[in-house]
Amino acid sequence: MTTHIPSVRSLLDYDAEAEAYDTTRGGIPRAEAAAAAVLELLPADAHTLLDIGCGTGIVTSRISRPALRVLGADASPGMAAVAVRRGVPVTLADAARLPVRSQSLDAVSAVWLLHLLREPGLVPAVIAEAARVLRPGGVFLATVDKDSAHDVGSDIDAVFAAHLTPTPSDASGEVEAYAARAGLLAVGEARFTGHGQGRTPRGSAESLLAGRYASRIVPRGITARELAARLELLPDQDVPRAEPTYRIRSFVRV
């Protein structure tokens, strides 16, 4: 019997957003912090790493150290093209169907990917695929609880509170359970600052209307435009609130 594995579906048109994507998401400072966290958790004997959902390669290109070969995979041709310009070798691939031999890699990373995978069954499928391509002792590194990291107790959070997605797809406990099912044992964690990601009321309203919060915010009882209007009433429209602190978990292939 053939098992259906749902494909990775984008919440946004990433091909259309590719060129401007990084400027709306913290740019180089945030990317450097993410890459440093990956390297902090990466074993010294790891020589091959595949960054799935690599996007523009802004993080991937900074996961660098001697004797480490880093590759990227992404389903968006537009994003992959930007990554290639950054010098990242990229394959166009669905993260649930990687064109990679089983047990052939030392590490797989998924930075800011799992929270986007809202289709039922997709996160466990991607985690199982990462486990398949890892050698015994290899590691899977994934950000978790990404969207909830942006809840810093601000007035913006108070506006959004009644409209949060009740079941984020990258909840830490769920990811750990899926990993265990795939033969991956949780072994470590790193935290890093989301530089440039302190939200402003004006920017939050614009992002909401552009669909950038689709994985986290689902307006209930009102339209997205009405919810944005509530943000537009907040004071200090262009003053950033506190920056988030992100988490990345490490799992070893047993």
Side-chain angles (χ1 to χ4, degrees):
M1 182 177 68
T2 300
T3 300
H4 170 67
I5 299 177
S7 63
V8 175
R9 293 182 180 175
S10 299
L11 293 165
L12 298 175
D13 184 343
Y14 287 102
D15 289 334
E17 290 218 350
E19 295 297 332
Y21 189 83
D22 295 332
T23 61
T24 64
R25 289 163 175 81
I28 290 174
R30 189 179 78 144
E32 289 179 340
V38 170
L39 290 168
E40 177 183 336
L41 295 170
L42 192 65
D45 61 352
H47 298 298
T48 53
L49 179 146
L50 176 65
D51 189 28
I52 58 175
C54 70
T56 67
I58 192 171
V59 175
T60 321
S61 62
R62 289 167 170 79
I63 303 173
S64 177
R65 72 183 188 198
L68 177 65
R69 184 183 182 215
V70 178
L71 309 170
D74 202 277
S76 163
M79 289 288 202
V82 178
V84 168
R85 292 205 301 268
R86 283 196 163 101
V88 178
V90 180
T91 183
L92 285 174
D94 189 315
R97 299 183 182 88
L98 296 172
V100 178
R101 296 193 317 276
S102 297
Q103 299 188 19
S104 62
L105 296 173
D106 296 326
V108 174
S109 58
V111 180
W112 299 311
L113 172 65
L114 301 184
H115 72 288
L116 298 173
L117 310 183
R118 298 297 302 165
E119 186 172 341
L122 189 47
V123 169
V126 168
I127 292 174
E129 183 69 348
R132 180 188 69 80
V133 302
L134 284 171
R135 64 167 176 78
V139 295
F140 175 54
L141 310 170
T143 48
V144 296
D145 301 322
K146 189 270 181 184
D147 286 326
S148 61
H150 288 266
D151 298 338
V152 295
S154 73
D155 51 354
I156 296 171
D157 299 325
V159 171
F160 281 152
H163 308 280
L164 299 179
T165 302
T167 55
S169 57
D170 69 337
S172 181
E174 294 295 315
V175 170
E176 185 169 338
Y178 296 144
R181 192 183 308 165
L184 297 166
L185 177 67
V187 293
E189 177 178 313
R191 297 185 179 227
F192 60 99
T193 301
H195 297 292
Q197 291 294 282
R199 297 186 296 196
T200 67
R202 193 186 315 278
S204 295
E206 292 171 354
S207 292
L208 175 68
L209 294 175
R212 297 189 187 108
Y213 293 154
S215 68
R216 179 64 170 160
I217 308 296
V218 180
R220 294 180 177 87
I222 60 174
T223 65
R225 177 64 261 178
E226 290 169 330
L227 185 56
R230 296 183 182 181
L231 294 168
E232 291 163 357
L233 294 174
L234 295 178
D236 302 317
Q237 280 286 299
D238 297 308
V239 175
R241 279 40 172 183
E243 293 178 326
T245 298
Y246 296 124
R247 301 170 60 209
I248 185 165
R249 300 286 304 276
S250 173
F251 304 88
V252 65
R253 182 74 164 92
V254 295

